[in-house]
Amino acid sequence: MQVFDVVVIGGGPGGYVAAIRSAQLGLSTACIDETTGKDGKLSLGGTCLNVGCIPSKALLDSSENFEKLHDLKVHGISVEGVKLDVAQMIARKDQIVSKLTGGISMLFKKNGITALHARGTLLRREGETWVVKAGDAEIGAKNVILATGSSPRHLPFAAVDNRKIMDNVGALDMPAVPERLGVIGAGVIGLELGSVWRRLGSHVTVLEAMPDFLAAADEAVAKEAKRQFKLQGLDIHLGVNIESVDASGEGVTIRYQEGGEAKTLDVDKLIVSVGRVPNTGGLGAETVGLELDARGFIKADHFRTNLPGVWAVGDVIGGAMLAHKAEDEGVAVAEIIAGQAGHVNYETIPWVIYTSPEIAWVGETEQALKARGVEYRAGRFPFAANGRALGHNDSRGFIKVLADAKSDRILGVHMIGPNVSEILAEAVTVMEFGGSSEDLARTMHAHPTLSEVLKEAALAVEKRAIHA
Ligand code: FAD
Ligand code: NAI
């Protein structure tokens, strides 16, 4: 039996990054993943590359281009005879996916990592070595990293066939634009994929159980987002209770309660995006005594599970279900295994929702600071007063900087507006260095750029924004 220093189960952002970092640190490494791509071969990259971050952003860009064509008149450009080729749009998305998943296979080769296309299961411990089943083969591991990720949570009364009732997999692969599209869950996937198909012409109705819209975001940002999405024609219903979903006819009929009233929604297709569940089935958790929490996530303390030599990272240990969080955990766990001080700063996780306008934040929201009784100062600046945003013909939204009232240390930065997914990185870096609003305010920003809105918001903390 071949024995590796590290065997990673799961080749998503947590797993493949852990494998590469392990190899960089001189550890012999194998990575087992069971994903089969559209070409029938191993497709590394996990949810993120195959059916998550990357394909959704590809379709968001395609659909944004399509929608922008209607705004070109203001630039003095008129476009006629616009046609939509959904098959080409999906093919472009697939090409991007296969380019990136193939890229990870190449990185594995470059780093001498053994890739195994199989399901990985923990079998038993023999002395200091774990025996891991990879399909029909058995391999040995001094350390096992579990990075098996997550899968869409399904509702018991809405069987997903990825044809009429879809999770993220089907919603990223629709062959045509449905006339009426229903979405259950106004979370990140519901808003991003709902936006894609709305821009392409669907009438999109979103049904959300919670009474508050985007409760995790800063309240002012969530309020502005809801207003903008409504203007775009996204039909969002909050505080609903779904009672039944019937797909036996031509389309799908959803019966639900809203404000004590029984309502019915008829759509052609339905996306169910109500969160994700950890992938632990098939891992051998029960046989080897791997501890899970009440919601099925692997219990881990600094990535250490209850089993010696078995580590876990990414979606499967819970917390923020984000690719970059999984990646940073992958780096940290490899460094810890190699005897270094691997560390992840959970205080500065960037959050981005790739709608239009984009939503992005880092750190605490204003409502969270109030609830904790923290004394803070807030500075806010609108994109409407920014020359570059006006040039772009997109001056929606604002940036808000929250800083500690005494130390001026930045506690949170909240953004809604054009390209804020890119501007956010600056705020994350300043927070990572424990920076103050004055640090940001005194940093020179290129003119004209959208990033000047962040500088002005920092200046506004001391009520000295120049252009307001
Ligand atoms: P995963 O990416 O889920 O990878 C786990 C891998 O392990 C999978 O390939 C799985 O098949 C494999 N596996 C599981 N069990 C076994 C086993 N027993 N044997 C072998 N292989 C196994 N996050 C962002 O940060 N930004 C985004 O823009 C973003 N967009 C998203 C859009 C959508 C539609 C979705 C669904 C998710 C999105 N996410 C985004 C979330 C992101 O995809 C996840 O947080 C990330 O992929 C988690 O990485 P991971 O390595 O923990 O798990
Ligand atoms: P989510 O947790 O973001 O949203 C799920 C929504 O569904 C919540 O608002 C919830 O209240 C609602 N809901 C739950 N049960 C319901 C019910 N029975 N009826 C109506 N509404 C119900 O989960 P989502 O959108 O499925 O995304 C999964 C994960 O993927 C997220 O946690 C996110 O971290 C990640 N992701 C990240 C992206 C990004 O970073 N841009 C993009 C897409 C996904």
Side-chain angles (χ1 to χ4, degrees), residues 115-440:
L116 298 164
H117 187 190
R119 167 160 283 208
T121 308
L122 278 171
L123 284 183
R124 60 185 179 277
R125 192 160 156 88
E126 290 176 0
E128 295 287 292
T129 304
W130 279 98
V131 179
V132 179
K133 191 168 180 285
D136 294 332
E138 285 188 6
I139 54 174
K142 291 184 195 152
N143 294 279
V144 179
I145 301 173
L146 305 174
T148 47
S150 64
S151 298
R153 183 166 80 84
H154 290 167
L155 296 171
F157 46 81
V160 168
D161 61 0
N162 275 326
R163 219 178 45 83
K164 262 202 299 189
I165 302 184
M166 297 163 295
D167 54 26
N168 56 299
V169 177
L172 289 164
D173 240 357
M174 278 199 254
V177 181
E179 211 173 295
R180 301 160 306 168
L181 175 67
V183 178
I184 301 184
V188 202
I189 295 181
L191 292 173
E192 288 187 359
L193 296 183
S195 294
V196 164
W197 297 102
R198 182 203 58 74
R199 291 171 191 170
L200 299 177
S202 285
H203 182 271
V204 180
T205 309
V206 186
L207 303 175
E208 164 61 44
M210 300 294 285
D212 296 323
F213 182 64
L214 277 183
D218 188 88
E219 271 169 8
V221 168
K223 193 171 160 209
E224 176 63 9
K226 194 171 162 224
R227 194 178 75 83
Q228 293 290 349
F229 297 155
K230 213 170 161 190
L231 282 174
Q232 292 166 9
L234 263 189
D235 190 6
I236 301 172
H237 298 251
L238 300 175
V240 309
N241 184 13
I242 313 280
E243 291 184 323
S244 69
V245 173
D246 179 4
S248 59
E250 272 279 292
V252 186
T253 301
I254 303 121
R255 293 200 168 75
Y256 61 99
Q257 292 279 335
E258 186 179 7
E261 231 183 281
K263 295 192 176 172
T264 302
L265 173 69
D266 288 310
V267 292
D268 303 300
K269 305 243 184 194
L270 176 68
I271 298 176
V272 179
S273 47
V274 292
R276 296 180 64 82
V277 292
N279 290 333
T280 51
L283 254 184
E286 274 180 26
T287 325
V288 293
L290 178 69
E291 261 180 33
L292 309 181
D293 72 12
R295 294 191 304 147
F297 291 98
I298 296 174
K299 273 193 187 177
D301 179 10
H302 286 84
F303 323 119
R304 279 186 174 83
T305 71
N306 65 307
L307 303 173
V310 179
W311 311 77
V313 296
D315 278 12
V316 78
I317 62 167
M321 284 183 154
L322 297 172
H324 40 277
K325 175 259 191 192
E327 287 187 33
D328 276 20
E329 290 181 343
V331 168
V333 77
E335 291 178 349
I336 293 170
I337 290 171
Q340 300 184 356
H343 173 72
V344 175
N345 182 3
Y346 293 99
E347 307 288 307
T348 54
I349 296 181
W351 293 86
V352 177
I353 307 177
Y354 295 82
T355 44
S356 175
E358 290 183 341
I359 296 163
W361 74 89
V362 55
E364 288 193 89
T365 60
E366 197 161 349
Q367 66 266 23
L369 292 175
K370 277 185 189 148
R372 284 207 302 120
V374 176
E375 281 184 44
Y376 65 92
R377 293 185 301 168
R380 181 169 155 163
F381 195 82
F383 280 95
N386 175 268
R388 194 74 201 279
L390 291 171
H392 278 317
N393 194 34
D394 187 358
S395 55
R396 298 166 296 168
F398 58 87
I399 294 181
K400 181 159 88 173
V401 173
L402 303 169
D404 186 277
K406 287 197 188 85
S407 68
D408 192 36
R409 189 183 170 122
I410 296 178
L411 303 171
V413 180
H414 302 273
M415 312 181 172
I416 177 166
N419 275 354
V420 292
S421 57
E422 301 294 341
I423 303 173
L424 183 65
E426 181 186 355
V428 176
T429 307
V430 174
M431 282 186 69
E432 186 66 38
F433 281 87
S436 64
S437 82
E438 190 181 356
D439 288 329
L440 254 183

